[in-house]
């Protein structure tokens, strides 16, 4: 069974600074990886996904993520954070059969003015 | 936005009473999921369905049952609610295929007193 870890529970950055959120997965086969964002009191919105091809994927809101098979990682990045990016971010992995869809514990992002 | 409706959105119930949460979709997606979200745990899968009358357990299924008699509806039942089941519950839908993302409802906040 697959699993996901997000080592950082809470990250604080200043507005305009760069951001990297870490995600590590455990899965024996080719993983299908996703990043979601959740604003307070809201549901989850997809930022980006990776399933094959170019290991650097672009998403919405200026986010990108890089898949590194050797490190079992799928880290999320943004070059310049905006105050509206304050939210909780979840990494997820799907299995090859398309049924199981597992989330990490999430990283809460705070943005200082 | 994907057509997913969760009902009720908020519920307070007493320990030992049965509770049913409903997830309704208008997208005709094959897969439907129930997750619970708790601080520090992210989203944990309770049960999922891969078709009408086809369901399977997730990692935290104890104390929960589900039913899917129609493609569009996925019901989550707490047979006898306990305080440990106080949580926010999210329904998600997903089309067939391992590369497709899940779409989420707005969540149901359940409090068991």
């Amino acid at each position: 069974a697959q699993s996901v870890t997000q080592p950082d529970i809470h990250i604080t950055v200043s507005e305009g600074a760069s951001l990297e959120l870490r995600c590590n997965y455990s899965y024996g086969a080719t993983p299908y990886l996703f990043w979601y964002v959740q604003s307070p009191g809201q549901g989850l919105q997809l930022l980006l996904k990776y399933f094959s091809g170019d290991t650097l994927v672009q998403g919405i809101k200026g986010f990108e993520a890089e898949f590194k098979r050797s490190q079992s990682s799928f880290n999320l990045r943004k070059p310049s954070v905006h105050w509206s990016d304050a939210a909780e971010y979840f990494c997820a992995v799907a299995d090859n059969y398309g049924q199981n869809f597992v989330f990490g514990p999430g990283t809460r992002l705070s943005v200082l003015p | 936005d994907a057509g997913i409706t969760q009902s009720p959105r908020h519920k307070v119930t007493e320990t030992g009473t049965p509770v049913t949460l409903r997830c309704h979709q208008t997208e005709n997606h094959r897969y439907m999921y129930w997750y619970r979200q708790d601080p520090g745990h992210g989203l944990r899968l309770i049960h999922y369905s891969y078709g009408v009358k086809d369901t399977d357990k997730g990692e935290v299924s104890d104390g929960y049952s589900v039913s899917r008699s129609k493609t569009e509806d996925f019901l989550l039942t707490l047979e006898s609610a306990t305080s440990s089941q106080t949580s926010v519950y999210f329904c998600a839908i997903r089309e067939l295929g391992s590369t497709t993302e899940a779409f989420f409802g707005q969540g149901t906040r359940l409090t068991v007193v």
Side-chain angles (χ1 to χ4, degrees):
Chain A
Q2 66 269 45
S3 65
V4 179
T5 57
Q6 295 179 247
D8 304 305
I9 296 173
H10 183 205
I11 286 181
T12 300
V13 299
S14 297
E15 191 168 19
S18 64
L19 172 70
E20 182 170 29
L21 302 182
R22 296 183 290 165
C23 171
N24 293 97
Y25 67 89
S26 173
Y27 186 56
T30 301
Y32 301 104
L33 298 159
F34 307 80
W35 273 101
Y36 284 82
V37 61
Q38 183 183 33
S39 298
Q42 301 297 310
L44 281 79
Q45 180 184 22
L46 180 72
L47 286 175
L48 47 80
K49 63 181 179 180
Y50 169 81
F51 51 90
S52 67
D54 194 345
T55 57
L56 184 64
V57 294
Q58 302 297 320
I60 62 171
K61 305 185 179 187
F63 286 92
E64 66 178 26
E66 185 172 14
F67 170 61
K68 293 185 177 180
R69 185 185 299 274
S70 61
Q71 298 178 19
S72 297
S73 68
F74 188 56
N75 294 349
L76 182 71
R77 301 195 294 249
K78 187 170 185 178
S80 178
V81 170
H82 188 262
W83 64 267
S84 61
D85 293 324
E88 190 144 21
Y89 291 80
F90 294 95
C91 183
V93 59
D95 64 21
N96 283 356
Y97 304 100
Q99 296 188 161
N100 213 347
F101 202 86
V102 176
F103 284 81
T107 297
R108 184 162 61 93
L109 174 66
S110 297
V111 180
L112 299 175
Chain B
D1 288 346
I4 311 168
T5 304
Q6 291 186 232
S7 58
R9 292 292 312 279
H10 301 271
K11 186 171 182 66
V12 179
T13 192
E14 293 186 349
T15 298
T17 60
V19 177
T20 295
L21 309 182
R22 180 180 184 238
C23 178
H24 178 79
Q25 63 152 326
T26 58
E27 306 295 326
N28 202 36
H29 283 358
R30 177 172 177 175
Y31 296 112
M32 298 185 76
Y33 305 80
W34 276 109
Y35 293 88
R36 60 178 289 174
Q37 183 177 27
D38 305 287
H41 292 278
L43 284 89
R44 292 181 292 174
L45 183 64
I46 305 172
H47 283 279
Y48 64 97
S49 169
Y50 46 97
V52 173
K53 299 191 187 303
D54 292 323
T55 65
D56 206 349
K57 297 178 179 180
E59 65 174 302
V60 291
S61 60
D62 287 348
Y64 302 94
S65 63
V66 290
S67 66
R68 191 170 179 196
S69 58
K70 298 184 292 185
T71 298
E72 58 266 34
D73 289 324
F74 192 33
L75 304 180
L76 177 71
T77 297
L78 290 66
E79 301 291 348
S80 178
T82 67
S83 58
S84 65
Q85 294 176 311
T86 293
S87 186
V88 179
Y89 292 85
F90 284 97
C91 174
I93 64 173
R94 189 162 172 238
E95 187 47 278
L96 180 65
S98 56
T99 63
T100 58
E101 65 266 33
F103 297 94
F104 285 81
Q106 290 300 298
T108 294
R109 182 173 295 277
L110 177 67
T111 302
V112 184
V113 298

